[in-house]
Amino acid sequence: MTESTSTQNALNKSHSVIPALLTDKVAIVTGASRGLGTQIAQQMAVAGAIVCVNYLNSKQAAEAVVAEIEAAGGQAFAYQADVTELEQVQAMAAEVITRYGRIDILVNNALPSYQFNPSAAYTSIETVKWSHFSQQIDGIVKGAVNTVQAVLPQMKAQQVGKIINISTNLVYNPVVTYYDYTTAKSALIGLTRNLASELGQHGIRVNLLAGGLLKTTDASSLTTEEVFDYIATTTPLRQATSVADFANSVLLMASDLSMAITGQSIAVDGGLTMP
């Protein structure tokens, strides 16, 4: 089965299980041209949202995501913007407003290029370099700050909005010491709480979802079935979390069902970690 066929099957299945949680909501999903970002964008569209599929370099992949969404009856468009450049994400937000008049949801999913290699230099405090940290902090934290600043004027004008930051359960249980990646993702917890505290008065909810090893993304594509089986046996639900299941958690936090939730850091890993 090809990847596109597998994706379309997942979308078709989603039609039968996802209610219209996000009808007429307008969402921006950063880093949505592949992996988890693609799944989030697709499932948001199935749930009724109009989705801006943000990408950095993968124009063809982003356009393919849009095409799949439209083929399934949804609405989306692709937009190239480097989240580390404030002017570029401000232009993206302006384009969304020009097209649709509002921004209801921001999902900060974009991630700098990274290899989850347990033997890499950045897994030891003796060999990790500050350049490793700065790359991840710029891509993850600066990127999230920029996108929030870009959408904030519109969300404040609306007096409502949802911001969802994507992190990792490694911040709770660093089974592999990815110093640079985990440190940057940990900073998102502090950012989430501060944003929630300041922006709640404007009706803006800000939460963080921390995923485990998802089955299957680009990052976990080389993970063996034995590893996934081990995770399943150590997880209360006795199964590895799928990309679709994680994306459904994003839908919940983006929808009106979570209007009383803000400032939270929630692990989406089947109970593997319980922070």
Side-chain angles (χ1 to χ4, degrees), residues 1-266:
M1 179 182 294
T2 66
E3 183 176 351
S4 60
T5 300
S6 178
T7 300
Q8 192 60 53
N9 287 344
L11 280 176
N12 292 339
K13 182 179 179 182
S14 294
H15 275 293
S16 64
V17 299
I18 299 174
L21 292 174
L22 305 179
T23 299
D24 297 328
K25 302 290 188 183
V26 179
I28 297 173
V29 182
T30 67
S33 63
R34 63 180 187 175
L36 176 60
T38 291
Q39 189 77 33
I40 291 171
Q42 290 172 330
Q43 289 183 213
M44 280 191 158
V46 169
I50 303 166
V51 184
C52 172
V53 176
N54 164 255
Y55 69 96
L56 178 58
N57 297 315
S58 305
K59 179 179 180 179
Q60 185 174 358
E63 291 176 345
V65 173
V66 171
E68 289 180 351
I69 287 173
E70 291 177 340
Q75 299 181 68
F77 78 101
Y79 194 98
Q80 191 279 333
D82 182 346
V83 296
T84 67
E85 298 293 337
L86 178 59
E87 295 79 7
Q88 292 188 28
V89 289
Q90 286 175 327
M92 176 172 66
E95 177 65 19
V96 174
I97 295 166
T98 297
R99 287 176 179 241
Y100 306 113
R102 59 188 299 111
I103 301 173
D104 300 293
I105 303 157
L106 168 65
V107 181
N108 281 316
N109 171 74
L111 175 70
S113 178
Y114 199 76
Q115 289 187 327
F116 293 96
N117 179 0
S119 61
Y122 41 77
T123 62
S124 171
I125 194 60
E126 295 181 304
T127 53
V128 66
K129 301 181 184 301
W130 181 248
S131 60
H132 294 131
F133 285 98
S134 60
Q135 180 196 27
Q136 294 302 306
I137 290 171
D138 275 358
I140 294 171
V141 186
K142 182 181 179 182
V145 170
N146 284 346
T147 54
V148 169
Q149 290 179 338
V151 305
L152 188 55
Q154 181 62 35
M155 286 189 174
K156 286 178 70 175
Q158 297 167 183
Q159 285 293 291
V160 69
K162 294 291 191 78
I163 298 171
I164 303 157
N165 296 322
I166 305 300
S167 187
T168 171
N169 67 357
L170 290 172
V171 304
Y172 311 124
N173 182 26
V175 291
V176 179
T177 53
Y178 295 115
Y179 276 92
D180 50 353
Y181 173 77
T182 305
T183 298
K185 286 293 193 180
S186 297
L188 286 181
I189 297 176
L191 178 64
T192 296
R193 291 171 177 169
N194 279 277
L195 289 171
S197 181
E198 179 183 359
L199 302 182
Q201 63 185 308
H202 303 292
I204 301 169
R205 283 80 170 169
V206 189
N207 292 289
L208 177 146
L209 296 177
L213 183 65
L214 300 178
K215 189 176 183 179
T216 306
T217 65
D218 290 347
S220 64
S221 61
L222 299 180
T223 303
T224 65
E225 282 299 318
E226 288 77 13
V227 171
F228 282 119
D229 289 344
Y230 172 76
I231 291 173
T233 61
T234 57
T235 299
L237 293 181
R238 298 296 187 267
Q239 62 184 21
T241 303
S242 71
V243 181
D245 285 341
F246 188 94
N248 279 338
S249 297
V250 176
L251 297 189
L252 171 63
M253 300 312 296
S255 77
D256 290 346
L257 296 177
S258 61
M259 293 297 275
I261 303 174
T262 196
Q264 300 307 302
S265 170
I266 302 171

